[in-house]
Amino acid sequence: MNVIEANNLKFSYDGKNDAIKGVSFSICSGKYYSIIGHNGSGKSTLAKLLIGLLKPSKDSLKAFGLEYNSKNIKEIRRKVGIVFQNPDNQFIGSTVKDDIAFGLENRCVPQKDMDKIIEEYSKKVDMFDYLDKQPEKLSGGQKQRVAIAGVLAMHPEVIIFDEATAMLDPKGKREISELIKKMRIDNPNLTLISITHDVEEAFNSDEIIVMNEGEIYMSGSPKEILSKSDELEKIHLGVPFLYSLANELNKLGIKVDDYSSLESLVNSICQ
Amino acid sequence: MNNMILGRYSPYDSFLHRLDPRNKIVSMILLMVALFFQFNLPGTSITDFVMTFIVEGVILFIVIISMIVAHVSIKQFFKSLKAMWFVVLLLFIINIFIVASPSSADWTSTMYYYYGESFRIQVPAWNWDYPIYWASIYQSIKIVSRLIIMISLTMILTSTTKPLDLTFAFEWFMSPLKLIKFPAHEIAMTLSIALRFIPTLLDETDRIMKAQSSRGVDFKHGRVSLRIKALVALIIPLFISAFQRSEELADAMEARGYNPRAKRTHYHKLTWSVFDSVIILFTLAILAGVIVISVMNITYYTPTFLGWLFIALAITITMFILLGIFSSTRKVAK
Ligand SMILES: Nc1ncnc2c1ncn2[C@@H]1O[C@H](COP(=O)(O)OP(=O)(O)OP(=O)(O)O)[C@@H](O)[C@H]1O
Ligand SMILES: [Mg+2]
């Protein structure tokens, strides 16, 4: 089932240059998408269109069969959540508790239910011990986990991550990836759209969408995309060593199929 | 750096910390109003001073006990009084001129005549001979002591109430004005976000200062004009980043369904307890007593007044003893 459908979607900030130049795609329920592309290729713009922060032109974008207009936007935002890049600038409450409660307040959740919900979701992201902490006492990764809890608490069907791990250290990144894996197991119907510069991270997804200059350059399964290293090089996207090595080997006629990690690559070479 | 602005809150869980912020604000205002009553009776103006100091004494007593209960840091308290020296001096100088001359005293009351001259300032070279009256000194002391008590009262409020709770109380007080489209909720939300971002922006300031210092900008030495120039190198990046933040913040809030005009529930409920009623009745009683004394010209040497004073002190002391029994004070992690 398609949750989001874009049909010749265009967007321009200044009325002259299009930041998004007529893209069409559909997002299926329960799948994990990655969007990659270099700086300024329009990834964030696309994300903001999907969550209704920017207004798409008429009939070009639909979520859950709903047009993006002022009447539906509340309903759409109920079903689509987003986690942004900067951990500080999306922390609205004065403590972890308050921040998770912020979304609940907006959804008019009765006050007496809030503590229970906050407990449940802070436990899910492993932040239960920090409920009374202020943001300046938390690490970037912890703040991002709070942001995820805040989004999860609203039971969205689609979650967009706009470079949510870009400002984190490797440990923070790993924790968020683990969390995303767990979220998918918890709720198989959850659709994830992860915007990232990290091709390795994108490898874990079901489908990769490559953006370039406001257009969808190509899309497909990670293996498909990563095997086209020449085309990726053309738009200045590097392919990690492991994949380029596997590609080269394949070109030379040495068949390797499993190259998701160094170990499996070595194993498949040795076969 | 953070502590300079927010450190006023003392992280204890005392009786006063647990009171409803609305109650604390109202009680503080009531006590401040009580401070400002005049007791001047024609012909017996010394009474005014004595009465003022008695009333101030009662309130000061409450203030001191509250400060002990609330664990207000004494160091902080004296620090905040430091700036007072300037005020004392200024008030004294102003009072010398407005209180001294009989013609200017006419519009206040006749009381100032009664104190007579204390000394004269004489500068023969300028042919200057100016009398200073006791009244101007009394008057200065009166105002300064009121100011000190007012500062203590606000200090008790800010060190026992989280800034965020103050904004909730503010929103509650302003909510009737929503009917005339006064943006009470928006202001409270703005205030609470400002409070949330103070530490973040201070961190940012620190970072920018370091970055600029490493580029050779000197914030600490040199001529004033150079230092002001250096400040520009701090303020402009700070503003740019603050604007960027505000944009991202607005996006994040909107994405999470925030709409200032829509109805929303509140996670923080202000709760009014029995203790709050007791405290507010108590401060109301003090104010009422002061009003009656002032209006009915009751003076300190009448038995009625002494009786009242005795009762007021007895009630105060009993109350604090009761509070001491009911309240367990413990330090809480910040
Ligand atoms: N608020 C804005 N006003 C005007 N132009 C903008 C605005 N935001 C982005 N743009 C422009 O739109 C284009 C796409 O920007 P976008 O932020 O979507 O890129 P991105 O793929 O998210 O890049 P990055 O990887 O750096 O996050 C860029 O050319 C950018 O200059
Ligand atoms: Mg971006």
Side-chain angles (χ1 to χ4, degrees):
Chain A
M1 197 192 89
N2 290 346
V3 286
I4 294 176
E5 250 169 301
N7 192 2
N8 193 22
L9 173 65
K10 281 185 192 153
F11 184 82
S12 162
Y13 283 102
D14 51 13
K16 282 182 285 208
N17 307 314
D18 283 356
I20 300 287
K21 297 170 184 160
V23 298
S24 306
F25 59 88
S26 48
I27 301 288
C28 287
S29 172
K31 274 174 100 178
Y32 176 10
Y33 293 83
S34 288
I35 303 182
I36 58 174
H38 62 80
N39 293 125
S41 56
K43 306 181 299 288
S44 297
T45 309
L46 188 63
K48 283 184 189 167
L49 283 165
L50 293 183
I51 167 106
L53 289 171
L54 300 172
K55 200 166 170 17
S57 51
K58 214 170 173 296
D59 291 333
S60 62
L61 189 61
K62 269 190 183 151
F64 305 93
L66 297 168
E67 266 305 318
Y68 278 69
N69 56 29
S70 49
K71 207 171 88 241
N72 292 339
I73 202 71
K74 206 174 154 197
E75 186 63 25
I76 290 173
R77 288 205 186 124
R78 202 181 274 273
K79 294 184 167 175
V80 185
I82 188 166
V83 179
F84 291 102
Q85 176 178 13
N86 192 318
D88 259 321
N89 298 352
Q90 54 186 323
F91 203 108
I92 293 144
S94 54
T95 61
V96 172
K97 242 178 10 195
D98 290 298
D99 192 63
I100 299 175
F102 178 76
L104 302 175
E105 291 175 328
N106 296 335
R107 299 276 183 284
C108 290
V109 173
Q111 192 244 358
K112 60 177 175 12
D113 301 341
M114 285 186 186
D115 272 318
K116 223 179 101 237
I117 300 175
I118 291 170
E119 188 188 321
E120 181 186 345
Y121 288 96
S122 61
K123 275 183 179 155
K124 273 204 169 123
V125 300
D126 213 4
M127 288 296 289
F128 182 63
D129 298 332
Y130 299 86
L131 280 186
D132 286 313
K133 285 265 191 282
Q134 288 150 1
E136 60 275 14
K137 305 252 157 57
L138 301 176
S139 72
Q142 289 174 327
K143 278 182 241 188
Q144 287 304 64
R145 264 152 49 200
V146 174
I148 292 173
V151 169
L152 282 178
M154 305 199 275
H155 305 290
E157 295 181 31
V158 180
I159 302 182
I160 304 170
F161 294 88
D162 188 356
E163 299 185 43
T165 59
M167 289 174 80
L168 307 183
D169 57 8
K171 183 166 163 278
K173 274 185 198 175
R174 224 170 20 247
E175 283 167 2
I176 300 289
S177 313
E178 290 297 316
L179 185 57
I180 289 178
K181 261 186 214 147
K182 213 177 92 195
M183 275 156 56
R184 298 197 68 207
I185 296 167
D186 276 0
N187 180 3
N189 288 326
L190 192 64
T191 311
L192 294 175
I193 303 175
S194 168
I195 296 171
T196 177
H197 279 287
D198 191 343
V199 181
E200 241 160 297
E201 195 187 310
F203 193 80
N204 289 322
S205 56
D206 299 323
E207 187 170 337
I208 298 184
I209 298 173
V210 184
M211 300 265 314
N212 184 43
E213 308 289 341
E215 284 167 337
I216 292 183
Y217 187 71
M218 53 184 173
S219 65
S221 72
K223 272 195 184 165
E224 254 175 288
I225 299 291
L226 291 172
S227 62
K228 296 176 185 161
S229 55
D230 301 341
E231 283 175 65
L232 289 176
E233 295 290 347
K234 244 188 259 166
I235 58 165
H236 313 292
L237 281 175
V239 177
F241 172 72
L242 226 51
Y243 313 122
S244 37
L245 176 68
N247 283 335
E248 293 301 318
L249 286 173
N250 277 333
K251 264 187 218 162
L252 290 173
I254 305 167
K255 270 221 111 7
V256 282
D257 0 272
D258 191 3
Y259 44 89
S260 52
S261 73
L262 185 62
E263 229 170 281
S264 55
L265 178 71
V266 171
N267 280 341
S268 57
I269 293 174
C270 292
Q271 271 166 15
Chain B
M1 239 177 159
N2 293 355
N3 292 346
M4 247 163 49
I5 292 171
L6 298 177
R8 285 178 141 229
Y9 179 76
S10 69
Y12 286 87
D13 179 31
S14 74
F15 173 77
L16 285 166
H17 285 73
R18 286 193 294 267
L19 286 181
D20 190 311
R22 291 170 295 187
N23 175 20
K24 281 186 267 190
I25 292 174
V26 172
S27 296
M28 183 190 77
I29 293 173
L30 290 180
L31 287 180
M32 282 186 180
V33 171
L35 271 180
F36 275 84
F37 271 88
Q38 293 275 351
F39 305 98
N40 51 329
L41 309 166
T44 56
S45 50
I46 190 75
T47 320
D48 175 58
F49 290 116
V50 177
M51 293 297 288
T52 307
F53 291 131
I54 290 175
V55 170
E56 277 177 10
V58 172
I59 296 178
L60 190 68
F61 181 69
I62 299 170
V63 163
I64 290 174
I65 294 192
S66 304
M67 283 174 120
I68 295 170
V69 170
H71 288 255
V72 172
S73 131
I74 303 294
K75 233 169 74 192
Q76 281 253 326
F77 177 66
F78 282 108
K79 239 198 232 162
S80 61
L81 289 187
K82 248 198 221 156
M84 288 289 293
W85 285 116
F86 178 70
V87 180
V88 173
L89 204 69
L90 196 75
L91 277 172
F92 185 59
I93 291 172
I94 292 173
N95 275 324
I96 285 174
F97 290 106
I98 64 164
V99 175
S101 70
S103 61
S104 72
D106 288 341
W107 52 263
T108 37
S109 80
T110 51
M111 55 182 274
Y112 299 120
Y113 295 117
Y114 289 83
Y115 301 103
E117 264 172 50
S118 62
F119 55 91
R120 301 180 88 87
I121 307 175
Q122 289 171 323
V123 189
W126 297 349
N127 198 7
W128 208 44
D129 182 1
Y130 201 84
I132 304 239
Y133 296 92
W134 279 114
S136 57
I137 297 172
Y138 283 140
Q139 194 68 10
S140 311
I141 293 175
K142 204 167 97 180
I143 297 176
V144 168
S145 58
R146 279 177 182 169
L147 279 179
I148 290 178
I149 295 180
M150 277 173 69
I151 290 176
S152 327
L153 282 170
T154 41
M155 191 134 184
I156 292 168
L157 177 73
T158 52
S159 52
T160 61
T161 318
K162 288 184 185 136
L164 197 67
D165 287 333
L166 287 178
T167 66
F168 293 138
F170 168 84
E171 188 176 350
W172 190 87
F173 284 123
M174 293 298 153
S175 51
L177 294 179
K178 278 178 189 160
L179 287 178
I180 57 162
K181 296 262 161 39
F182 180 80
H185 166 71
E186 283 90 332
I187 292 176
M189 181 53 97
T190 313
L191 280 176
S192 63
I193 287 177
L195 288 170
R196 141 80 186 88
F197 273 89
I198 287 171
T200 311
L201 289 178
L202 284 177
D203 270 357
E204 183 101 339
T205 313
D206 205 40
R207 204 161 38 236
I208 295 172
M209 268 170 98
K210 279 185 188 134
Q212 299 289 41
S213 299
S214 73
R215 288 178 176 79
V217 179
D218 193 346
F219 292 102
K220 295 201 176 78
H221 309 280
R223 286 202 316 273
V224 175
S225 63
L226 282 179
R227 266 193 273 176
I228 290 176
K229 249 192 199 154
L231 220 53
V232 172
L234 168 68
I235 287 172
I236 289 182
L238 191 62
F239 264 76
I240 290 174
S241 100
F243 279 121
Q244 208 171 349
R245 267 180 208 287
S246 70
E247 225 163 274
E248 283 181 27
L249 186 72
D251 277 349
M253 288 173 75
E254 215 186 320
R256 286 170 70 181
Y258 179 67
N259 178 357
R261 268 164 240 301
K263 195 176 159 323
R264 55 200 297 275
T265 49
H266 288 275
Y267 178 51
H268 281 274
K269 275 255 160 74
L270 298 170
T271 44
W272 188 274
S273 71
V274 186
F275 294 118
D276 288 301
S277 308
V278 172
I279 291 288
I280 204 150
L281 284 177
F282 175 66
T283 44
L284 272 173
I286 288 182
L287 179 63
V290 172
I291 292 175
V292 170
I293 291 167
S294 167
V295 171
M296 295 182 56
N297 291 346
I298 297 172
T299 46
Y300 60 94
Y301 41 76
T302 57
T304 334
F305 176 74
L306 289 179
W308 282 26
L309 186 66
F310 178 75
I311 291 172
L313 283 177
I315 293 178
T316 316
I317 294 169
T318 339
M319 262 205 27
F320 277 107
I321 290 172
L322 284 180
L323 297 187
I325 294 169
F326 280 117
S327 64
S328 57
T329 304
R330 67 192 162 85
K331 192 170 170 112
V332 288
K334 231 182 187 176

